[in-house]
Amino acid sequence: MARDTYDYVIVGAGSAGCVLAGRLSQDPQARVLLIEAGPPDTKPAIRIPAGAWSLMSSEVDWSYTTAPQDALGGRNEPWPRGKTLGGSSSINAQVYLRGDSGDFDGWAALGNEGWSYDAVEPYFKRAEGAGPDLSGHYGGEGPLRLSRLSAPHPLGRGFKDACVERGVESNEGFRRADLLGVGQPLVTQSYRRRWSVADAYLHPVRSRPNLKVLTGALATRVLLDSGLAVGVEYRQDGQELTAHAGSEVILCGGVVNSPQLLMLSGIGPGDHLKAVGVTTILDLPGVGLNLQDHLGVPVQMTMNQAALPDLAAAFLHLLRYYVGHTGALTSNRSEVCAFLKSSPDLEAADLALLFTPPPLPPLWPKPRWVAAEALGIVGRYLPLVPDRFTAGRPHPITIAAMVLRPASVGHIRLASPDPLANPIIQPNYLSDPAGRDLSLLVEGVRTVRSICRSPALASLLAGEWRPGPQVGTDAEIAGYVRRAAVSIKHPVGTCKMGIDGLAVVDPELRVHGVRGLRVVDASIMPVIPRGHMNAPTVMIAEKAADLIARARKRRDDASIG
């Protein structure tokens, strides 16, 4: 079995892994290996901001689905996760929101010293490259480039104005430590192209002689020797290989893959490991628990203006983008956010509304789709064409209501000891005994409807398409929520940081009970932030880079002494 030796072996080239590879390899004496299961990030759609939706279920997506959700009618909810350099930052909606300051103060209050908002804000700023016109709250010199949307949909302005008419304060760009209000968040874009964390931290330093990046390499086990992590086994091109870590193994696989790899390595809840046929090396019961995700329900409104036929729109969008990098394809498709309190006595927002413009046609239309669209256009003038080609399709805007602090908590479990088998993802949506998550989404639907009746937006809309005016009582809306609610794709928490019996890592992100092993990604978040997850994940990795560098210096000083 081939074996190479490095100081740091980083598993997962997602947002956290790219940050660590870039930061740790700044030390020319540190040999760094970055292992990524997916392919390089060369798909053209990755660079196109609106291309995120065409990347789902592609070769750069793990294409996970949840276990059947009892509260959602038994549905298996899709769970896209990035499987390429940049991870989910290469396939996400590029929204940049730190979260509310109280989120991080709450982490610190749980015993995680050094994770208050005042303590982590410098790491946000170190990452941020917001430019002089956006600096102040944001950092201006960091590698992660931030910008405003260049061509937001006109109805987004109507949504913002309608929120203000309903008493929501304006918070354009979200340049405060709290998230209350409505505005257009910054996006991780540069010159109207996606700027992933790989673009920011990894690609500019790929030529460093002390940094090696492997793609198509699936980590299968962390190697342990008397309680010390000494390396990683991985598969690449049909070979079983080993990478030895002289200093640390750092798991950056994310909320699914980091707990999965720990459990495959014998680190996790002993009863579960025994049940699936994995030898328990360390009984660590919290591995895979504490899964939290934002659940949202869409309310869709049709516009009172005619839309171009999809075929014409597809051609026009591509032409505008490739000729001048303008138009609808520069949109991140999640253009405006509103953060609200369901009750005035709350300390922070508990409900968010997310505005999405009308759906776009395929980026690269396939011949059968083009033929069907062409028949539809012709059918408007030739009554002999079958109705299925001539029926008009709605082009709705979507305003999704999202629970920011879900009470429902789930878990990740192994389905088998085979590293190629997808783990069991059980978010337990809408399972909280008090029914708070469901009631808040019902209230969210009513709030969206109220905002859409406000003059600034009502004049631009033709009517409600989903759930429709026939759905009016709380029970009817609750039924719609169960039928239509979807994951907003913000999972966290499955290797939570803390000092209690179910914590997986300590406040320095070291796995409890194992030396030389850390987890650095969204799975360490003890409580889900109120915003989106990419910004705090980058912050976590920036802070971890300092923690790891200081540990190395302590070891070096000790060896000299």
Side-chain angles (χ1 to χ4, degrees):
M1 184 180 288
R3 169 171 165 161
D4 294 315
T5 302
Y6 304 86
D7 293 296
Y8 301 109
V9 175
I10 304 169
V11 179
S15 294
C18 286
V19 173
L20 287 177
R23 293 301 188 193
L24 295 179
S25 64
Q26 286 176 334
D27 178 357
Q29 302 305 311
R31 297 158 297 171
V32 179
L33 174 66
L34 179 62
I35 297 173
E36 168 56 39
D41 54 339
T42 54
K43 283 181 71 71
I46 290 176
R47 305 288 169 246
I48 300 174
W53 311 107
S54 70
L55 297 168
M56 309 304 175
S57 301
S58 73
E59 66 269 27
V60 296
D61 176 13
W62 283 95
S63 301
Y64 290 129
T65 57
T66 69
Q69 297 302 289
D70 292 342
L72 304 183
R75 283 187 283 130
N76 300 83
E77 180 64 14
W79 255 40
R81 298 282 89 200
K83 188 182 182 183
T84 184
L85 299 179
S88 292
S89 78
S90 291
I91 71 170
N92 68 1
Q94 304 134 70
V95 174
Y96 188 87
L97 287 168
R98 292 179 181 175
D100 190 278
S101 59
D103 296 332
F104 309 102
D105 291 340
W107 293 4
L110 293 173
N112 296 298
E113 185 179 352
W115 290 90
S116 68
Y117 184 71
D118 287 344
V120 302
E121 185 185 22
Y123 293 105
F124 280 115
K125 288 194 170 186
R126 187 164 83 177
E128 294 161 352
D133 60 328
L134 295 170
S135 59
H137 176 68
Y138 296 107
E141 303 298 327
L144 190 62
R145 297 178 189 171
L146 307 178
S147 65
R148 297 186 181 92
L149 283 179
S150 61
H153 195 278
L155 264 68
R157 167 55 63 184
F159 172 66
K160 286 187 284 186
D161 291 344
C163 286
V164 172
E165 287 178 347
R166 293 298 186 190
V168 181
E169 61 181 307
S170 177
N171 192 0
E172 197 63 35
F174 296 95
R175 301 192 204 188
R176 301 199 310 255
D178 67 79
L179 284 179
L180 282 172
V182 61
Q184 186 181 95
L186 300 186
V187 290
T188 50
Q189 293 183 13
S190 178
Y191 299 104
R192 301 169 188 173
R193 293 162 58 93
R194 176 195 295 274
W195 190 253
S196 73
V197 182
D199 292 320
Y201 287 88
L202 184 62
H203 294 316
V205 303
R206 285 288 295 272
S207 61
R208 286 177 180 166
N210 62 326
L211 172 63
K212 184 175 182 179
V213 180
L214 298 178
T215 55
L218 176 69
T220 57
R221 187 163 64 103
V222 176
L223 298 174
L224 301 169
D225 183 2
S226 302
L228 174 68
V230 296
V232 171
E233 285 184 0
Y234 64 97
R235 296 179 186 178
Q236 186 183 43
D237 298 328
Q239 292 183 287
E240 298 281 347
L241 304 168
T242 300
H244 183 263
S247 293
E248 296 192 28
V249 174
I250 308 164
L251 305 189
C252 301
V255 71
V256 177
N257 298 100
S258 285
Q260 179 191 25
L261 186 57
L262 286 174
M263 288 187 281
L264 288 171
S265 307
I267 302 170
D271 290 346
H272 169 64
L273 298 183
K274 181 179 179 180
V276 294
V278 174
T279 300
T280 302
I281 295 176
L282 174 64
D283 188 354
L284 197 58
V287 173
L289 298 183
N290 193 50
L291 174 59
Q292 300 159 62
D293 186 23
H294 285 151
L295 190 70
V297 60
V299 177
Q300 295 184 299
M301 302 284 178
T302 54
M303 300 182 295
N304 63 8
Q305 62 189 62
L308 280 174
D310 282 352
L311 182 60
F315 175 78
L316 184 61
H317 294 328
L318 286 169
L319 180 65
R320 284 177 173 169
Y321 187 78
Y322 280 111
V323 170
H325 274 197
T326 61
L329 294 187
T330 64
S331 170
N332 69 324
R333 309 294 301 150
S334 186
E335 294 189 352
V336 183
C337 301
F339 292 88
L340 318 171
K341 294 179 183 180
S342 63
S343 173
D345 59 348
L346 293 175
E347 292 184 359
D350 63 341
L351 182 68
L353 307 180
L354 312 177
F355 169 86
T356 303
L360 294 174
L363 278 182
W364 292 282
K366 295 181 179 179
R368 290 182 63 182
W369 183 89
V370 172
E373 288 296 311
L375 278 171
I377 294 171
V378 172
R380 295 181 185 183
Y381 308 100
L382 296 178
L384 296 179
V385 175
D387 288 343
R388 67 178 181 276
F389 294 121
T390 61
R393 289 190 296 273
H395 288 73
I397 64 165
T398 299
I399 303 171
M402 178 175 85
V403 176
L404 290 174
R405 278 296 181 85
S408 303
V409 179
H411 58 260
I412 303 287
R413 287 288 179 256
L414 294 180
S416 88
D418 182 0
L420 297 180
N422 286 348
I424 298 167
I425 300 171
Q426 177 50 274
N428 286 324
Y429 292 125
L430 302 182
S431 65
D432 59 301
R436 175 59 179 161
D437 292 349
L438 179 59
S439 64
L440 192 54
L441 287 176
V442 170
E443 184 173 347
V445 171
R446 293 198 180 281
T447 302
V448 172
R449 285 173 161 175
S450 174
I451 289 170
C452 289
R453 289 194 297 268
S454 193
L457 190 53
S459 61
L460 305 174
L461 301 175
E464 183 178 311
W465 183 45
R466 294 177 69 204
Q470 75 281 2
V471 177
T473 68
D474 282 356
E476 289 168 342
I477 296 173
Y480 171 72
V481 169
R482 293 185 184 280
R483 294 191 302 273
V486 295
S487 168
I488 306 296
K489 286 74 178 178
H490 293 168
V492 305
T494 51
C495 296
K496 81 166 185 174
M497 171 176 61
I499 56 175
D500 63 277
L502 292 179
V504 176
V505 300
D506 69 12
E508 294 200 10
L509 309 186
R510 300 170 297 196
V511 175
H512 288 294
V514 183
R515 290 172 290 123
L517 180 62
R518 297 187 206 237
V519 179
V520 181
D521 55 38
S523 72
I524 68 97
M525 299 182 189
V527 181
I528 191 169
R530 290 178 174 86
H532 291 226
M533 298 308 113
N534 190 241
T537 300
V538 172
M539 174 276 291
I540 287 166
E542 283 277 16
K543 182 174 172 65
D546 272 7
L547 295 173
I548 294 166
R550 290 170 193 159
R552 181 181 176 89
K553 186 176 186 306
R554 287 195 298 268
R555 288 194 298 270
D556 291 346
D557 290 346
S559 64
I560 293 173

